[in-house]
Amino acid sequence: KIVNYGCKSASGVKEIDTVIDISEIIGSMLLQSGATVYFTRSRENFWRSAESQDNDNRSRAEFANSKNADLFLRIHCNWSPIKKKRGVSVLWYKDDSKKIAKTVYESLQKSGVIVDGIHNQYLVGFEFAKVPSILIEFGYLSNKDDEKLITDKEYIQKVSEIVVAAIGEELKTISTSHR
């Protein structure tokens, strides 16, 4: 079995730990706004295993489908061999996810957060999701400046607030259009 740990910075910061922190912050904000939140990973159960990373991603998409989620929000950290690459990225694949991805990206961009871009990209989790789904890369763990930001609680709080506000702008539209 393969355990999907994610990437790691040169100084040892692990994506798995960082994204659990970020997910808890975003999840808490969404809960406070009245949303129902389901986690595919949690601090108590974050060691996901499957026959392959693709199967792990597929099972999380199928979990979102089983909940008939308004949005399957995936939180990650990026890594690149090009150490100068940095910034927050928003990824989407299917047309039902494009508008919310664009809203989140534009909100981040307007706030002054360093952004790497918005990308229409195939990922297994997107392929099997039957609900709108986006993935937010909170920065590059391979970039020392991004690593500092990703581990800064005030920065993560700020970016999380922007993400949650953007999701809130779109949630009613998503809810009525995919059901």
Side-chain angles (χ1 to χ4, degrees), residues 1-5 47-53 55-56:
K1 298 218 179 221
I2 294 172
V3 176
N4 186 357
Y5 298 96
W47 299 112
R48 306 286 296 181
S49 63
E51 295 299 319
S52 70
Q53 188 172 341
N55 285 346
D56 180 39

Side-chain angles (χ1 to χ4, degrees), residues 106-164:
E106 288 174 351
S107 295
L108 290 164
Q109 192 176 39
K110 287 176 191 170
S111 75
V113 169
I114 296 168
V115 292
D116 182 45
I118 180 169
H119 310 283
N120 177 248
Q121 184 174 335
Y122 169 84
L123 296 170
V124 170
F126 288 161
E127 176 188 0
F128 288 97
K130 294 177 181 168
V131 298
S133 56
I134 63 171
L135 185 149
I136 301 172
E137 300 274 10
F138 266 68
Y140 286 82
L141 282 175
S142 52
N143 179 288
K144 289 180 183 180
D145 293 325
D146 268 12
E147 178 189 352
K148 286 177 190 169
L149 291 174
I150 292 167
T151 57
D152 180 290
K153 291 182 187 216
E154 287 180 24
Y155 173 79
I156 292 302
Q157 182 73 26
K158 173 187 171 182
V159 175
S160 297
E161 287 171 1
I162 294 163
V163 167
V164 169

Side-chain angles (χ1 to χ4, degrees), residues 22-59:
I22 296 167
S23 297
E24 287 178 346
I25 291 166
I26 290 175
S28 175
M29 289 178 190
L30 288 169
L31 286 167
Q32 288 174 5
S33 74
T36 301
V37 177
Y38 299 99
F39 292 93
T40 61
R41 294 181 175 159
S42 68
R43 201 166 299 284
E44 295 78 32
N45 183 26
F46 62 89
W47 299 112
R48 306 286 296 181
S49 63
E51 295 299 319
S52 70
Q53 188 172 341
D54 284 351
N55 285 346
D56 180 39
N57 288 322
R58 180 180 180 163
S59 71

Side-chain angles (χ1 to χ4, degrees), residues 65-122:
N65 296 340
S66 75
K67 299 299 182 187
N68 197 27
D70 292 325
L71 176 66
F72 176 29
L73 176 62
R74 302 173 64 188
I75 304 297
H76 288 270
C77 293
N78 221 334
W79 192 93
S80 173
I82 303 166
K83 303 299 181 213
K84 291 183 179 182
K85 291 279 285 179
R86 67 179 306 207
V88 179
S89 302
V90 180
L91 289 70
W92 63 280
Y93 182 62
K94 294 180 180 175
D95 287 341
D96 66 351
S97 307
K98 182 178 182 176
K99 190 171 190 287
I100 192 162
K102 185 176 178 190
T103 299
V104 170
Y105 172 75
E106 288 174 351
S107 295
L108 290 164
Q109 192 176 39
K110 287 176 191 170
S111 75
V113 169
I114 296 168
V115 292
D116 182 45
I118 180 169
H119 310 283
N120 177 248
Q121 184 174 335
Y122 169 84

